C-alpha cells in the first residue's frame, strides 16, 4: 500500500496543487480499461477517457459567500479576504454549510447576530495584537474589520 501526504501551506489560498497518477499493470494489479469512450456504445464516436490516469487537485481557495457580499460586508467584517474568512470561521466556529445557509430560517449566521460575531473576532484580533502576535491579512497589512470593530495596532505603526 502506498500513501501520499499533502502538507498545508499558506499559499494554497492563492493557488492549487495538482497530483497526477497513472496506473500501471504489475503482478498484483491489472488495468483492464486503459482507455474507454465517454459513450455507452464503444462503436460510437466520442472522446477517449484514460481509465489508467487520475488527478487530484487541492487548494484552499475560497470565494466570497453571497451573504457576506450582499448583506454584511459594509457593516461588520469589512472587505472580504481569504485569510480573514479563515480567521472568522475559526473564531466563530463557522463552516461552509453555515455560510451557504446564512440568512435562512434557523441559520447560525443571520444579520441580527453579526454584531456579536464581529465583536468576537475584534476581541480575538486585539488579544493577538496585545500579545505581540498581530494577525496579518492576505495583503500583508494588519487585519481589520469594519471601522466600528477596529483593532488598535498603534504599537506596531
Amino acid at each position: 500500500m502506498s500513501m501520499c501526504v499533502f502538507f498545508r501551506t499558506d499559499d494554497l489560498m492563492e493557488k492549487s496543487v495538482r497530483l497526477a497518477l497513472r496506473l500501471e499493470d504489475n503482478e498484483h494489479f491489472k488495468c483492464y480499461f486503459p482507455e474507454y469512450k465517454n459513450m455507452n456504445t464503444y462503436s460510437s464516436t466520442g472522446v477517449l477517457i484514460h481509465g489508467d490516469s487520475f488527478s487530484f487537485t487541492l487548494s484552499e481557495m475560497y470565494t466570497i459567500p453571497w451573504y457576506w457580499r450582499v448583506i454584511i460586508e459594509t457593516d461588520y467584517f469589512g472587505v472580504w479576504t481569504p485569510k480573514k474568512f479563515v480567521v472568522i470561521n475559526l473564531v466563530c466556529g463557522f463552516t461552509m454549510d453555515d455560510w451557504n445557509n446564512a440568512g435562512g430560517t434557523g441559520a447560525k449566521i443571520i444579520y441580527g447576530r453579526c454584531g456579536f460575531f464581529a465583536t468576537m473576532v475584534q476581541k480575538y484580533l486585539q488579544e493577538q495584537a496585545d500579545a505581540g502576535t498581530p494577525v496579518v491579512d492576505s495583503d500583508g497589512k494588519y487585519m481589520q474589520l469594519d471601522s466600528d470593530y477596529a483593532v488598535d495596532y498603534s504599537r506596531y505603526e
Side-chain angles (χ1 to χ4, degrees):
M1 173 187 246
S2 297
M3 182 171 66
C4 181
V5 178
F6 292 92
F7 293 97
R8 175 181 279 147
T9 59
D10 285 340
D11 60 350
L12 284 177
M13 286 188 190
E14 288 118 29
K15 69 176 187 176
S16 61
V17 174
R18 184 171 175 253
L19 171 67
L21 302 173
R22 173 159 288 200
L23 301 174
E24 292 184 2
D25 293 345
N26 62 33
E27 66 272 11
H28 305 290
F29 178 79
K30 174 78 173 141
C31 184
Y32 290 101
F33 295 102
E35 291 181 336
Y36 58 95
K37 298 242 177 141
N38 67 344
M39 310 291 276
N40 59 354
T41 51
Y42 196 78
S43 61
S44 65
T45 59
V47 177
L48 278 178
I49 297 172
H50 296 280
D52 61 354
S53 300
F54 300 90
S55 66
F56 303 88
T57 304
L58 301 163
S59 77
E60 287 190 300
M61 289 187 277
Y62 296 101
T63 57
I64 183 169
W66 73 270
Y67 197 78
W68 182 313
R69 184 181 64 248
V70 175
I71 306 295
I72 61 176
E73 179 173 55
T74 56
D75 295 331
Y76 298 103
F77 297 128
V79 176
W80 186 89
T81 66
K83 192 162 184 186
K84 186 186 293 183
F85 186 64
V86 169
V87 169
I88 290 169
N89 290 342
L90 174 76
V91 172
C92 298
F94 296 155
T95 65
M96 288 308 296
D97 283 340
D98 293 328
W99 286 104
N100 292 336
N101 297 322
T105 303
K108 186 175 188 177
I109 303 171
I110 58 173
Y111 189 78
R113 293 182 187 153
C114 288
F116 171 74
F117 294 134
T119 300
M120 284 177 60
V121 177
Q122 187 273 341
K123 183 178 177 186
Y124 169 80
L125 294 173
Q126 192 64 61
E127 287 171 354
Q128 295 301 306
D130 294 346
T133 55
V135 178
V136 178
D137 211 333
S138 303
D139 60 2
K141 298 177 182 173
Y142 297 121
M143 189 174 291
Q144 283 288 6
L145 305 176
D146 183 70
S147 59
D148 290 342
Y149 303 93
V151 178
D152 178 15
Y153 291 110
S154 60
R155 72 186 265 196
Y156 301 101
E157 296 169 345

